[in-house]
Structure formats: C-alpha cells, structure tokens
Amino acid sequence: MLREPEPRDRAAFIELLASPEVHTYLGGPRPREELDRELPETPQLWPGSFVVDLGGSMIGQILLRRATGHSRPAAAGKADLGYLFLPRAWGFGYAAEACAAALDWFDGIFPGEPVVLTTQTANIGSMRLAAKLGFAEVERFRAWDAEQWLGLRPPATPST
C-alpha cells in the first residue's frame, strides 16, 4: 500500500537513511545521530512522497519529484522517480509493485508527461527494475566516482 508519511514512520526513515546496504550505490549512509537530530516528526511529507506500507509497517519510500536542478539536460524539468527499500523487503517484488502504482498515480495527475530515473550501472537490481517499469536508456555518465544510467519512461498513452 502507498500512503503519506506519518509520525510513526520516523524510526523506519532513520533505519532506511542510515542503512549501509540501502546506500551502497547512493554515496553511503548518514549517521543515525545526525538523522535523529535533523529528521522532522513527519519525514518527507510533500506531494509525490509515498511510504510503502506492508502490514502496517513502512518497508520503503517512493519519491516522484521535479528534477529542476538535474545536471543532465535530458532530465531537467522532468519528473524523477526515486525509491528506497529496507533490505528485509528486497527480492519480493515490492519495489516493482510500489513504483508501478506511483507511476500510475503520476499518470493520472500529469497525463502525457515523461518520467526519468537515474541509477548506478553497478546497481543491477535497480537497472532490472527500471527496465521492468518501461524506462529506456537515454545516456550514461560519470558522477560520484561511478558510472550512472539515465533512463526515460515515455508519457503514458491514454487508453481509449
């Protein structure tokens, strides 16, 4: 289930953002002490931010936001899909299901708009998920000392 973040999710957000496994391809985790000091009571509460809830507990986060400051011209101004899942939720298809639901939500609100996704090419799971969700490679580039992949999901076509 996708839902808005709530105060009860704060501990799971800290776990997610401090996890070395989750941040293997994202520049490394943040210190728990820093997160505990800085994270608001209800983390990530803005349009396009979803908690992925399984059985009443947060297992991940989906973000759909404008890539206004993206360094790649092909992505600038487009909606950008991001996702983080706790390691205990990996390998069950939750990311594919949740991302597909978030993209369906986006298509309903912003019909005809493309979505971009960036991941490290070394992140094989994320590369597979991008392909499954319909993202096609636009370019590869180097950033943060690693090869990055930028994919584009064309606008959904309205069904007739």
Side-chain angles (χ1 to χ4, degrees), residues 67-157:
T68 53
H70 205 289
S71 64
R72 311 312 296 177
K78 292 181 179 66
D80 182 38
L81 175 67
Y83 42 86
L84 298 172
F85 283 81
L86 293 168
R88 67 177 174 267
W90 294 356
F92 297 100
Y94 299 133
E97 185 179 341
C99 287
L103 289 166
D104 285 346
W105 167 84
F106 181 85
D107 291 340
I109 304 283
F110 303 102
E113 287 199 33
V115 178
V116 296
L117 180 152
T118 304
T119 188
Q120 279 191 23
T121 56
N123 188 343
I124 302 302
S126 191
M127 294 287 293
R128 273 194 293 247
L129 178 57
K132 184 181 240 183
L133 293 170
F135 287 84
E137 182 173 322
V138 172
E139 69 174 306
R140 293 182 186 214
F141 60 97
R142 284 206 60 85
W144 304 288
D145 295 325
E147 184 180 59
Q148 308 293 319
W149 182 90
L150 174 65
L152 177 75
R153 179 180 159 268
T157 54

Side-chain angles (χ1 to χ4, degrees), residues 27-47:
R30 292 185 54 199
R32 284 184 182 276
E33 303 77 31
E34 177 183 300
L35 291 164
D36 196 42
R37 276 192 320 272
E38 295 177 4
L39 222 54
E41 181 181 337
T42 306
Q44 311 292 333
L45 184 57
W46 62 74

Side-chain angles (χ1 to χ4, degrees), residues 1-4 50-53 62 97-103 105:
M1 178 175 87
L2 297 181
R3 62 172 172 78
E4 285 187 345
F50 300 98
V51 161
V52 182
D53 185 302
I62 305 287
E97 185 179 341
C99 287
L103 289 166
W105 167 84

